[in-house]
Amino acid sequence: MRLATFLTGAAIAGVVALSAAPVASAQVCEETQFTSAAGQLYLDAETEILVNENPQAALAKLNQLRAMELNCYERGAVLRLGAAVKIQAGDMSGAVADLESALAQGFIPEAERPTTYFNIYQIYLSDGDLQKAVEYAERWIAAGGRPDRDQKWTLSIVYHRADDNATALRLAEEVFANDGPNAAREVYDFLIFLYDETGNLAKKAELLEQLLIRNPTERRLWDAIAGDYYQANEERKAFEVQKAMYLGGILQTEDELMRIVNFYNRFDAPYEGARVLEKEMNAGRIETTFDKLELLANLYQVAREYEKAIPVIERAAQLNNSGEMYERLGRSYAELQDWENAEEALQRALQVGGVKDRGLAWVLIGQSRYERDDRSGAREAFRNANNRGGRGWLSFMQSEDETERALVRFGIQTRVLELENEDRACTQLRVLGGENMPDGCGDVRDRLGAAREELADFDA
């Protein structure tokens, strides 16, 4: 409904009623009543507009009045009634001109000025002059006008259309405070729009969350909340919203589900990401491809869930006959110290090809053999590696061998020294003529000779 239509009827009656009110300022106009002739014509005009709804007849009566010599009171009444007539006739600019003239000449009493300002505001608004409408709305409030809930709502829209979103927001918030949480959806939507326009994303998100309580399955609200958190660089909160959407069954497409997986990975929760990815691949909502399997394996490995990673890596390796994946499989077995399977997977990787670092693969094969006490096979693998790691292992094993040899020689040498000490003690006892010689003295020199011979053979 156009405001021009709204201004007919009761609004016109309000403008007409002003014409019968006494003028408050004696300094402007001391007259307080009509003369008899003018009064009758005024009543006839008033009847035509209010009762007969005939603006043309009312205008004719007013023109007769204007042709008469009128006092100030009568001139003010004619201007105000003329405004009412012009409103009904659709002459909005003429109506405003009459009311503004009455105000300027002091024909509107102080107590009635707020209502007059309000009527002019409505007229300008119906005529599409937003700047003037705002000007008179502010005069109305400054003069003591107290807009009710519906008037605040209309004013909020007017201020927005006049590019004053700050004032529009203040009024819309007052409407929302009046209505409470059960406010109409249009109030929520307009406030959300204004918060967005004024950059108040935190309040917008708060309001969206309140609206979400009322409409928990409305996808648009969820997306708006997450989007605002993104814009505010609150990615963790955006993730929590997305996670709630996933748990609530709102996210359905592969792209949406992969977004959750990537969020978990980004926020250092690889195990949870892996669980979602594996669950959705098993359910068929995420396609099982080599790349997805590789990602799943990565997530499990980063989470140090090697036992869970192994079947995934093996499946990916078989799917693409990938040497790189077989290498990863071997490394995963190595992490679990399953050395036999580690070597088998690494040998498969070298056979298939595509291994980025063959030297490293041979080093791991060598380590798997070393851990199974196949020292000869380990040396062979480390030599095949032909890299720093392989040479390091060979050096280490050589050091182990030398240490072992030194320990054996030390044992033999220690036994020789002990037998030499024993032989010297026996010799001293013989010199002293000892009659009760220890049992060992009888064959000590045989045992010493055998030990010396063993040392000589070891050093040969």
Side-chain angles (χ1 to χ4, degrees):
M1 181 177 68
R2 283 177 50 84
L3 282 174
T5 305
F6 173 75
L7 285 168
T8 61
I12 291 173
V15 175
V16 172
L18 290 176
S19 64
V23 178
S25 176
Q27 295 177 352
V28 175
C29 181
E30 296 181 356
E31 299 291 340
T32 60
Q33 61 184 3
F34 284 97
T35 61
S36 59
Q40 185 58 52
L41 272 175
Y42 181 86
L43 289 173
D44 290 344
E46 192 176 57
T47 300
E48 293 293 347
I49 188 66
L50 293 179
V51 179
N52 300 331
E53 297 185 0
N54 188 343
Q56 296 304 320
L59 187 58
K61 298 290 184 183
L62 287 174
N63 286 336
Q64 292 179 49
L65 275 170
R66 290 190 179 99
M68 297 172 62
E69 186 174 343
L70 303 174
N71 62 36
C72 61
Y73 177 78
E74 292 165 337
R75 291 199 305 274
V78 167
L79 284 170
R80 285 174 284 179
L81 184 58
V85 171
K86 290 174 182 177
I87 288 172
Q88 193 173 79
D91 182 7
M92 298 302 173
S93 60
V96 168
D98 283 349
L99 290 174
E100 288 181 332
S101 178
L103 285 166
Q105 295 180 63
F107 296 154
I108 304 295
E110 197 70 29
E112 301 297 339
R113 282 177 174 265
T115 303
T116 305
Y117 290 140
F118 179 74
N119 287 331
I120 296 174
Y121 145 71
Q122 287 188 300
I123 294 170
Y124 273 126
L125 185 58
S126 71
D127 210 30
D129 191 337
L130 294 178
Q131 295 303 322
K132 278 291 187 180
V134 166
E135 176 186 335
Y136 273 92
E138 291 176 349
R139 288 190 184 186
W140 165 47
I141 294 171
R146 294 291 180 266
D148 60 21
R149 183 265 179 211
D150 291 339
Q151 289 167 341
K152 287 179 180 178
W153 177 246
T154 301
L155 277 170
S156 179
I157 296 171
V158 171
Y159 273 107
H160 162 63
R161 291 174 57 194
D163 296 324
D164 185 354
N165 283 329
T167 304
L169 177 59
R170 175 178 58 79
L171 290 165
E173 286 180 328
E174 290 177 10
V175 171
F176 184 75
N178 177 83
D179 295 352
N182 293 323
R185 180 60 182 267
E186 65 176 354
V187 177
Y188 273 96
D189 288 344
F190 190 47
L191 258 181
I192 288 167
F193 169 78
L194 290 174
Y195 282 136
D196 194 48
E197 288 292 298
T198 55
N200 199 333
L201 298 182
K203 281 195 173 182
K204 177 185 174 184
E206 180 181 337
L207 201 61
L208 283 167
E209 289 172 0
Q210 290 184 40
L211 193 55
L212 193 60
I213 294 173
R214 292 172 50 176
N215 306 277
T217 60
E218 187 171 343
R219 174 65 184 269
R220 183 174 66 90
L221 296 175
W222 288 99
D223 288 338
I225 293 171
D228 286 338
Y229 281 134
Y230 279 128
Q231 292 182 41
N233 293 320
E234 294 279 359
E235 290 193 350
R236 182 74 196 198
K237 290 183 179 179
F239 168 45
E240 293 300 330
V241 174
Q242 291 283 328
K243 185 165 65 173
M245 292 170 71
Y246 171 68
L247 296 175
I250 295 175
L251 303 183
Q252 296 292 328
T253 69
E254 180 170 318
D255 287 345
E256 292 169 344
L257 297 171
M258 285 304 301
R259 189 183 309 136
I260 293 297
V261 173
N262 292 330
F263 260 129
Y264 273 121
N265 191 28
R266 179 166 185 168
F267 288 107
D268 298 324
Y271 181 68
E272 287 76 9
R275 290 181 60 192
V276 171
L277 179 55
E278 189 166 35
K279 173 186 174 183
E280 298 304 335
M281 283 198 298
N282 290 337
R285 298 204 297 172
I286 293 179
E287 184 181 2
T288 301
T289 64
F290 176 80
D291 289 341
K292 297 295 192 308
L293 289 170
E294 184 177 27
L295 174 60
L296 179 58
N298 287 341
L299 293 171
Y300 274 135
Q301 285 188 308
V302 171
R304 305 188 70 78
E305 292 286 343
Y306 301 111
E307 290 182 357
K308 292 183 181 295
I310 282 174
V312 178
I313 299 171
E314 191 166 19
R315 188 177 175 189
Q318 293 169 353
L319 182 66
N320 212 30
N321 198 29
S322 168
E324 183 179 355
M325 292 304 291
Y326 278 117
E327 180 190 11
R328 287 184 60 183
L329 181 62
R331 285 192 277 113
S332 296
Y333 276 125
E335 291 285 352
L336 296 174
Q337 298 185 7
D338 185 346
W339 301 113
E340 185 173 349
N341 280 324
E343 179 175 356
E344 182 180 343
L346 290 164
Q347 291 281 17
R348 176 67 174 163
L350 292 171
Q351 291 170 7
V352 170
V355 177
K356 292 181 180 179
D357 190 342
R358 293 178 63 86
L360 176 60
W362 276 113
V363 167
L364 289 173
I365 291 171
Q367 184 180 359
S368 71
R369 292 174 178 176
Y370 172 85
E371 296 291 346
R372 289 178 289 151
D373 293 327
D374 180 5
R375 297 180 70 84
S376 174
R379 288 191 185 91
E380 179 187 6
F382 292 140
R383 284 192 291 269
N384 287 340
N386 192 28
N387 61 11
R388 183 176 179 180
R391 289 189 290 273
W393 268 102
L394 288 170
S395 176
F396 170 72
M397 291 182 70
Q398 182 179 353
S399 176
E400 278 191 322
D401 291 342
E402 290 174 353
T403 300
E404 179 65 24
R405 178 182 175 82
L407 288 173
V408 172
R409 187 181 189 286
F410 178 74
I412 298 172
Q413 188 177 34
T414 299
R415 191 161 66 254
V416 169
L417 291 174
E418 289 174 349
L419 289 170
E420 287 177 345
N421 289 334
E422 184 180 354
D423 181 53
R424 281 194 293 271
C426 289
T427 299
Q428 290 177 354
L429 289 173
R430 290 189 190 97
V431 171
L432 295 174
E435 295 181 359
N436 297 318
M437 298 287 289
D439 293 339
C441 288
D443 63 350
V444 64
R445 289 185 178 176
D446 292 337
R447 288 185 285 117
L448 177 58
R452 286 172 174 168
E453 185 176 350
E454 183 182 358
L455 181 60
D457 290 343
F458 187 86
D459 289 337

